[in-house]
Amino acid sequence: CYDLLHGGHIAFFKTASAYGDLYVSIGKDDNLLSLKGKKPVFSEEERLYIIKSIRYVYDAFLASGMGLLDFEPDIKRLKPDIFIVNQDGHTPDKEILCKKFGVQYLVLERIPEPGLPARSSSETKREMRFPYRLCLAGGWIDQPWVSEIHPGSVVVAQIWPTMDFNDRSGLATSSRKIGIKLWGDKYPAGDHEENARLLFGAENPPGKPYISGSQDQIGLLYPGINRLYYRGGYWPEKIESATDRETCEWLSVVIHLVPLEPRPQGYDPLKIMNLEKPLIKELGEAGDRCWESVLKKDIKGLGRSMTDTLLSWKKILPLTVPDWIMNELETKYFPDYPGAITSGSGGGYVMVASEKPVEGAVKIKVRY
């Protein structure tokens, strides 16, 4: 449909135009709505205007048919010599239709212009969606009833929605759903702090018995990797950010998520609490060490800070680390990798720090 035009489209048009005069068929809004359940971002008139303006395109038109083969009436009308698609656009039905009309069917590789990244519409749209949040170390210190005993740091990372991560798995999915209600499934424009405070307020209206910690909202709306320093308040006293490409891509490489069972419904990690100052101090210091390790790209220090956070949870809030999870980490991950932690209390994903592949893991991509 050529919605959200990008460099990959232009490279495709350039290559296709080498075969002769290039005619481009554009899907109508009502057909796209019936096929995808939603209208394109740009209207058919605007998409047609844009495509007609590209120098590699001889002419463009709105497809006169409906369905996945909406261009069929136009093939009959134009009688082209070649019908060209890229690998993403290839389907057996298109190939069969071309054979029926005696038209050569050609599938082009998706090759970008030299020096430019490979692009696809699906990837572009996915990257525009609302992100997720990872808590690397120091979790729970963002609660005032923890940091008022001893201050400390939480380290969070904003990650691309490269997949639909499981609900109730510690990736701030509850906060994310509220954010989508506010802004739609897209990353909001504007000031990061203002947006994070707005989301915090929306998730914690007056009278709510349990206040969601602000690391969720900040982690979702601040790009890159962020250290949040708490001293007894709901909002951090200080926020430090790392948004440079080198650091964010390093973290993307060394963090691996292995799926666990999600937290059960009705799960309450706060039934047992040991809020002792030395234990809270250990938790906050794990967050500090995590931040230092990220900036140094120190995989051993990162892994140790993640493991230390988990061990602190076990001491402070024992129900956040059930015995079956601790057994799995102690047998499968602690012996073989620099460190590991669960993505959330009571389940979700095992988050492993490792410079080598981890069996059964999915990869993340830090957004910067």
Side-chain angles (χ1 to χ4, degrees):
C1 66
Y2 304 110
D3 199 18
L4 301 179
L5 197 73
H6 53 72
H9 290 130
I10 306 303
F12 170 66
F13 293 150
K14 180 180 180 181
T15 304
S17 68
Y19 292 87
D21 292 338
L22 179 62
Y23 292 79
V24 178
S25 174
I26 298 171
K28 289 183 177 179
D29 291 350
D30 57 352
N31 191 40
L32 295 173
L33 177 61
S34 68
L35 291 173
K36 300 183 178 183
K38 58 182 179 180
K39 290 184 177 182
V41 175
F42 296 113
S43 70
E44 59 189 38
E45 292 85 1
E46 191 165 5
R47 288 182 288 120
L48 181 62
Y49 170 75
I50 293 170
I51 299 301
K52 278 178 170 284
S53 301
I54 296 170
R55 64 178 173 140
Y56 302 112
V57 176
Y58 183 79
D59 196 13
F61 55 86
L62 297 175
S64 56
M66 291 291 289
L68 293 172
L69 302 178
D70 58 351
F71 50 83
E72 182 174 356
D74 305 298
I75 283 187
K76 294 179 182 178
R77 173 176 59 85
L78 288 170
K79 297 180 176 61
D81 299 301
I82 308 172
F83 185 87
I84 302 177
V85 296
N86 64 15
Q87 292 168 319
D88 293 340
H90 164 65
T91 68
D93 287 343
K94 292 177 183 177
E95 188 170 6
I96 291 169
L97 181 67
C98 286
K99 286 182 179 179
K100 174 183 173 181
F101 291 113
V103 176
Q104 181 184 349
Y105 184 76
L106 182 62
V107 181
L108 298 181
E109 291 186 41
R110 187 158 60 89
I111 301 175
E113 190 75 6
L116 297 180
R119 297 284 187 191
S120 74
S121 295
S122 57
E123 289 174 354
T124 300
K125 290 175 182 177
R126 183 171 60 242
E127 291 180 354
M128 291 176 66
R129 292 176 57 205
F130 210 94
Y132 289 87
R133 184 275 289 131
L134 284 183
C135 178
L136 298 172
W140 289 104
I141 206 83
D142 59 320
Q143 290 291 346
W145 45 267
V146 178
S147 66
E148 67 185 6
I149 296 172
H150 195 282
S153 300
V154 181
V155 179
V156 295
Q158 184 189 74
I159 61 172
W160 291 107
T162 51
M163 57 177 284
D164 290 323
F165 292 98
N166 296 335
D167 285 346
R168 300 185 58 76
S169 295
L171 274 71
T173 53
S174 297
S175 302
R176 184 176 183 268
K177 287 178 180 178
I178 294 173
I180 290 172
K181 287 182 179 179
L182 291 174
W183 294 292
D185 193 4
K186 60 184 178 181
Y187 185 65
D191 182 78
H192 306 318
E193 181 171 357
E194 288 182 4
N195 289 339
R197 287 184 180 274
L198 177 61
L199 182 55
F200 179 78
E203 188 169 0
N204 297 297
K208 184 182 178 185
Y210 174 74
I211 305 300
S212 172
S214 61
Q215 61 133 314
D216 290 351
Q217 297 81 26
I218 295 170
L220 287 170
L221 291 164
Y222 274 65
I225 310 155
N226 294 276
R227 176 197 196 184
L228 320 177
Y229 183 77
Y230 290 89
R231 188 192 294 271
Y234 282 111
W235 203 258
E237 189 175 279
K238 181 171 61 174
I239 299 176
E240 296 177 78
S241 301
T243 56
D244 63 287
R245 177 177 180 177
E246 185 179 358
T247 302
C248 293
E249 291 191 351
W250 174 80
L251 189 67
S252 300
V253 169
V254 302
I255 291 294
H256 311 257
L257 300 185
V258 182
L260 287 171
E261 296 177 13
R263 293 193 297 258
Q265 293 291 337
Y267 168 73
D268 183 0
L270 305 180
K271 287 183 178 179
I272 303 175
M273 292 191 277
N274 302 314
L275 301 177
E276 300 174 17
K277 187 172 183 178
L279 303 181
I280 305 299
K281 183 172 182 289
E282 288 178 6
L283 177 64
E285 289 176 347
D288 292 334
R289 291 197 306 277
C290 177
W291 179 247
E292 294 165 2
S293 299
V294 166
L295 296 182
K296 295 177 182 178
K297 303 179 188 63
D298 174 7
I299 187 64
K300 291 183 178 179
L302 172 63
R304 186 68 237 175
S305 69
M306 292 163 60
T307 298
D308 287 347
T309 294
L310 184 88
L311 297 178
S312 292
W313 290 351
K314 187 66 173 174
K315 297 173 189 175
I316 299 167
L317 302 168
L319 297 182
T320 61
V321 188
D323 291 341
W324 72 270
I325 288 181
M326 180 59 78
N327 180 66
E328 184 154 342
L329 268 67
E330 288 178 336
T331 56
K332 292 185 179 180
Y333 301 104
F334 290 165
D336 298 325
Y337 302 103
I341 189 175
T342 55
S343 60
S345 300
Y349 295 87
V350 177
M351 187 160 51
V352 184
S354 174
E355 291 177 331
K356 60 183 181 180
V358 177
E359 184 178 357
V362 297
K363 294 301 298 171
I364 59 98
K365 183 178 179 182
V366 177
R367 185 183 186 280
Y368 55 89

